[in-house]
Amino acid sequence: MKKTYIFLSTLVLVTTAILTTALKPVSEPIKLGFIPLTDCAPLVAAKELGLFEKYGVNVQLSKEASWANVRDKILNGELDGAHCLFSMPLSVYTGVGGKAGSEMKIAMVLNNNGQAISLSKDFCGQVGFKDLKKVNGAVNELKKKKEVTFAMTFPGGTHDIWLRNWLAAAGVNPKSVGIITIPPPQMVANMKVDNMEGFCVGEPWNGVAVAQNVGFTHIATQDIWKNHPEKALVVNKDFSASRKEDLKKVMKAVIEASRWLDNMGNRKKAAAWLSKPYYVNAPVAVLEARLAGSYDLGCDLGEQKYKGDNMMFYNNGIVSTPQKGHAIWFLAQYVRFGYLKSAPDYKSIAEKLILDDVFAEVAKEMNVPIQPDMKPFKTAFDVEFDPNSPTGYLALTKR
């Protein structure tokens, strides 16, 4: 009788535990968008490695068609956040790429480097790798035959600004050529049907253009600005306020995934994941090569090797910090290239949109060194930029 009682008591306890677990409310899902680009890798790796679950969040990844789609879904709350152009929140808030005053929050940076400017075969043999001196002449020659058009992915986005900086450095007035917006996965197809003569986009689409013999890699963005901010984890304003602890858990998972990705021995596996149709849907060989920093340039230009300045996701903590100084640089570019007719309130916009306080908490808990902010820096083809004096920089660029 005693044994029966013990058995029944144990059964009741076990059954209660099972029912309690079954009835325990599941955490509300977090929906994060991404565009099919190599640098969505931190979100993909965090998902594939089970890191979101490790940190206690239920994350669903959503493949999106365009940056405009990502913008709209973050703003209306359909997405809680996304792999996003670092400068998109700045562009949207200032009215360059959206309704002025709309707030999207920058939680952390996902990667540095790894974008490129590709040119069509029209320029093959006329312009070489990083050969900016010949670009203006080649463009002028081509203008005699047809209108010359370049493509980027979002007005005021990172690709747009790299393209305009490159044109200016090459002596081409951006207003003298056509500049159109094309979603990243559609770049190669549009060049194939002669809709543009060049484009700036993230990988793997520059590598795909070479593999399909449609164009060649003229310059990588790390050649324009080494270790530049590129994609960021951008989140819905209300989500960042109401679910701050969940956001921190997402950031922790992404940081751990970013560290894993910067072990170069793991990039082959990452390329295999990214190649899947539900992620980037591109040839694994192209993804793998450019992740490794090995660029077949096309157009008989040979191969370029990047080491230490290829696409980086953590880089000993250098990547992750969202810097106000970098945000102010992008805002200054909007003035420089005529997107804004007058200077915005640089510092207040950067402070409003960058969640540096949340990042500081996560960085402390994850032992991530926070990078110094608001220090002057210089890109490859430009004058020095002091975030504390954007007007001084703009005066120098007008000379």
Side-chain angles (χ1 to χ4, degrees):
M1 189 71 177
K2 187 176 181 181
K3 287 182 179 180
T4 303
Y5 174 77
I6 293 172
F7 171 77
L8 290 172
S9 297
T10 303
L11 183 62
V12 169
L13 289 171
V14 171
T15 304
T16 302
I18 292 171
L19 287 171
T20 302
T21 302
L23 295 172
K24 186 178 180 181
V26 178
S27 61
E28 188 179 346
I30 297 170
K31 194 170 183 181
L32 300 180
F34 69 92
I35 292 289
L37 289 161
T38 304
D39 51 27
C40 73
L43 298 190
V44 171
K47 187 70 172 178
E48 294 291 334
L49 294 169
L51 297 176
F52 291 128
E53 291 86 349
K54 173 182 174 179
Y55 286 95
V57 283
N58 176 15
V59 170
Q60 300 172 354
L61 298 185
S62 174
K63 185 174 180 177
E64 302 297 332
S66 69
W67 290 121
N69 209 40
V70 169
R71 171 202 61 200
D72 294 345
K73 288 185 175 183
I74 290 178
L75 289 174
N76 68 25
E78 191 173 338
L79 290 174
D80 296 303
H83 149 259
C84 198
L85 301 160
F86 175 84
S87 57
M88 185 192 285
L90 308 166
S91 171
V92 172
Y93 185 82
T94 55
V96 172
K99 184 180 177 182
S102 300
E103 292 183 34
M104 303 160 66
K105 301 290 188 176
I106 302 171
M108 62 178 287
V109 178
L110 296 177
N111 74 292
N112 291 167
N113 309 323
Q115 323 299 295
I117 292 171
S118 293
L119 299 178
S120 72
K121 293 170 71 176
D122 288 325
F123 291 101
C124 191
Q126 299 183 61
V127 178
F129 178 63
K130 293 197 296 186
D131 191 0
L132 271 65
K133 291 181 180 178
K134 295 181 179 179
V135 171
N136 192 28
V139 168
N140 287 332
E141 280 299 309
L142 198 56
K143 280 182 180 178
K144 295 175 183 178
K145 304 175 185 177
K146 59 181 179 178
E147 182 180 348
V148 176
T149 301
F150 295 95
M152 47 75 183
T153 63
F154 186 83
T158 52
H159 303 134
D160 183 19
I161 299 305
W162 309 140
L163 178 66
R164 292 173 190 274
N165 267 260
W166 167 74
L167 287 168
V172 179
N173 185 338
K175 294 180 180 179
S176 71
V177 295
I179 298 178
I180 59 175
T181 303
I182 300 287
Q186 298 176 25
M187 284 293 188
V188 177
N190 273 270
M191 182 176 277
K192 191 177 290 186
V193 297
D194 203 29
N195 282 343
M196 86 283 267
E197 285 65 55
F199 59 71
C200 183
V201 74
E203 297 300 343
W205 306 115
N206 300 285
V208 170
V210 172
Q212 294 187 8
N213 197 29
V214 173
F216 64 98
T217 301
H218 166 62
I219 190 169
T221 52
Q222 54 264 43
D223 298 315
I224 297 172
W225 177 3
K226 182 179 178 180
N227 294 335
H228 64 77
E230 181 49 44
K231 301 302 187 300
L233 177 62
V234 172
V235 295
N236 171 272
K237 178 184 177 182
D238 292 338
F239 172 78
S240 69
S242 64
R243 298 184 66 183
K244 176 184 169 184
E245 291 307 312
D246 282 343
L247 172 57
K248 287 173 63 178
K249 291 173 184 176
V250 169
M251 293 166 70
K252 289 175 181 179
V254 169
I255 287 170
E256 186 168 335
S258 299
R259 286 169 169 162
W260 182 88
L261 285 163
D262 272 5
N263 178 337
M264 297 303 288
N266 291 330
R267 294 204 172 185
K268 187 171 184 177
K269 181 178 282 189
W273 289 333
L274 292 167
S275 70
K276 302 298 182 185
Y278 45 84
Y279 289 134
V280 178
N281 194 25
V284 67
V286 174
L287 286 155
E288 188 178 327
R290 297 224 166 183
L291 270 171
S294 180
Y295 286 42
D296 175 5
L297 300 173
C299 200
D300 298 323
L301 292 173
E303 188 175 59
Q304 174 70 15
K305 297 278 191 179
Y306 290 96
K307 188 175 181 180
D309 60 349
N310 54 316
M311 189 180 289
M312 303 298 287
F313 300 97
Y314 183 70
N315 196 12
N316 299 315
I318 291 172
V319 174
S320 308
T321 306
Q323 296 188 41
K324 295 175 184 174
H326 292 164
I328 292 170
W329 182 86
F330 279 100
L331 292 169
Q333 304 307 306
Y334 298 164
V335 178
R336 177 186 181 186
F337 294 116
Y339 272 135
L340 298 178
K341 296 188 182 299
S342 59
D345 191 339
Y346 294 103
K347 289 187 177 180
S348 71
I349 293 173
E351 287 170 357
K352 183 186 291 285
L353 300 183
I354 293 179
L355 299 173
D356 53 346
D357 55 340
V358 179
F359 179 79
E361 291 179 24
V362 172
K364 183 177 180 181
E365 292 167 21
M366 292 291 288
N367 197 27
V368 177
I370 296 177
Q371 301 308 301
D373 202 353
M374 297 300 289
K375 287 192 171 184
F377 58 88
K378 190 179 182 303
T379 60
F381 307 115
D382 204 357
V383 297
E384 183 177 77
F385 180 77
D386 183 352
N388 299 291
S389 181
T391 53
Y393 160 83
L394 290 169
L396 290 173
T397 60
K398 290 178 181 178
R399 290 181 179 177

